[in-house]
């Protein structure tokens, strides 16, 4: 199984992908509901708040801090918020709606540049260390959850992918996939409820009932 399918299957089975989509929707509604341009908030205000509020909602839906730890743990990288499930760590990245394929990782933060420089088996690159930025954890593959939204009309975008260091002006991703209804399917966090089977079917023989003899009020005591 290639990395794209393995990462998707691992994170989906753990409930990561559905939970992330749920968190993105709730965080977006919370930001748009609590801020307004008429009050003076600007695009930068929405962008910063969207990132911060989504971080909080992801902690919440992943159960970070609960007494019983789940399969998803908090795993920041160089102070960049991150969550890990198995060998996959996921960081956040906000983008302009409709421009997820136009991201330029070579112009991003040193941490995102380092992540985009990870060696990719299907398309190996020269992974260079960046002075002052610790190398990624050995054995861990760091992916990016790219998120975006607009208020009017309300539109949301959420993608999971492996960034590609594109200082050559080429593609921004080794692979990337949208988190939507078609790609996610049924939520594995929702356990199926077994239907209650009837005790008998319409074509089955009627159950023999015995009428109890009425208790005589004259002899009951």
């Amino acid at each position: 199984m290639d990395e794209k399918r393995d990462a998707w299957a691992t994170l989906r089975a753990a409930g990561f992908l559905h939970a992330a989509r749920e968190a993105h929707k709730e965080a977006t509604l919370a930001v748009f509901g609590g801020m307004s341009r008429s009050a003076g908030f600007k695009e930068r205000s929405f962008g910063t708040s969207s990132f911060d509020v989504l971080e909080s909602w992801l902690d919440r839906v992943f159960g970070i801090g609960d007494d019983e730890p789940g399969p998803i743990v908090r795993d920041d990288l160089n102070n960049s918020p991150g969550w890990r499930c198995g060998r996959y760590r996921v960081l956040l990245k906000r983008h302009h709606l409709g421009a997820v394929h136009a991201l330029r990782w070579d112009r991003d933060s040193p941490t995102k540049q380092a992540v985009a420089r990870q060696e990719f088996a299907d398309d190996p690159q020269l992974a260079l260390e960046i002075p002052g930025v610790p190398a990624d954890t050995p054995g861990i593959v760091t992916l990016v959850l790219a998120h975006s939204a607009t208020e009017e009309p309300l539109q949301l975008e959420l993608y999971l992918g492996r960034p590609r260091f594109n200082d050559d002006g080429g593609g921004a991703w080794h692979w990337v996939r949208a988190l939507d209804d078609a790609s996610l399917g049924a939520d594995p966090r929702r356990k199926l409820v077994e239907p209650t089977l009837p005790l008998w079917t319409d074509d089955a023989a009627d159950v023999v009932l015995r009428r109890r003899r009425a208790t005589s009020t004259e002899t009951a005591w």
Side-chain angles (χ1 to χ4, degrees):
M1 181 181 294
D2 60 23
E3 179 190 285
K4 177 181 178 179
R5 290 195 298 169
D6 182 64
W8 190 269
T10 299
L11 297 176
R12 184 184 178 283
F16 188 108
L17 300 182
H18 284 85
R21 193 181 184 211
E22 177 182 311
H24 182 223
K25 179 180 179 181
E26 296 297 334
T28 299
L29 294 177
V31 171
F32 287 154
M35 307 172 71
S36 69
R37 299 183 190 281
S38 61
F41 292 105
K42 300 180 179 180
E43 184 62 29
R44 184 176 59 184
S45 310
F46 286 96
T48 303
S49 297
S50 296
F51 192 97
D52 292 341
V53 177
L54 179 55
E55 177 187 356
S56 299
W57 270 94
L58 287 171
D59 280 342
R60 186 175 304 178
V61 297
F62 292 153
I64 304 300
D66 289 352
D67 294 335
E68 297 183 5
I72 302 166
V73 299
R74 187 71 188 246
D75 189 16
D76 298 349
L77 178 63
N78 304 331
N79 297 318
S80 180
W83 297 263
R84 182 166 52 81
C85 178
R87 72 188 190 100
Y88 296 106
R89 176 199 284 123
V90 179
L91 305 183
L92 297 179
K93 171 63 182 177
R94 189 172 184 272
H95 64 275
H96 292 295
L97 195 82
V100 70
H101 295 286
L103 289 169
R104 288 297 300 263
W105 302 107
D106 57 316
R107 300 172 184 173
D108 212 306
S109 68
T111 296
K112 293 292 175 25
Q113 289 187 40
V115 169
R117 287 172 178 268
Q118 292 175 109
E119 185 176 356
F120 183 57
D122 296 340
D123 184 15
Q125 299 183 82
L126 184 61
L128 299 177
E129 294 185 3
I130 299 178
V133 177
D136 206 343
T137 309
I140 297 297
V141 174
T142 302
L143 308 175
V144 168
L145 188 67
H147 60 100
S148 183
T150 59
E151 184 177 12
E152 294 180 357
L154 180 62
Q155 298 182 73
L156 295 90
E157 284 186 348
L158 193 62
Y159 289 88
L160 178 75
R162 165 82 93 105
R164 174 184 176 274
F165 192 74
N166 51 346
D167 61 342
D168 58 357
W173 303 91
H174 290 297
W175 61 264
V176 66
R177 190 174 183 185
L179 277 67
D180 53 29
D181 291 338
S183 65
L184 292 178
D187 190 342
R189 298 173 303 164
R190 310 285 189 253
K191 293 183 178 179
L192 296 177
V193 178
E194 294 292 339
T196 302
L197 298 176
L199 297 178
W200 60 84
T201 60
D202 293 339
D203 56 355
D206 292 340
V207 177
V208 178
L209 301 179
R210 295 181 183 277
R211 184 187 300 274
R212 297 183 61 185
R213 180 177 300 175
T215 302
S216 172
T217 57
E218 298 178 356
T219 58
W221 56 280

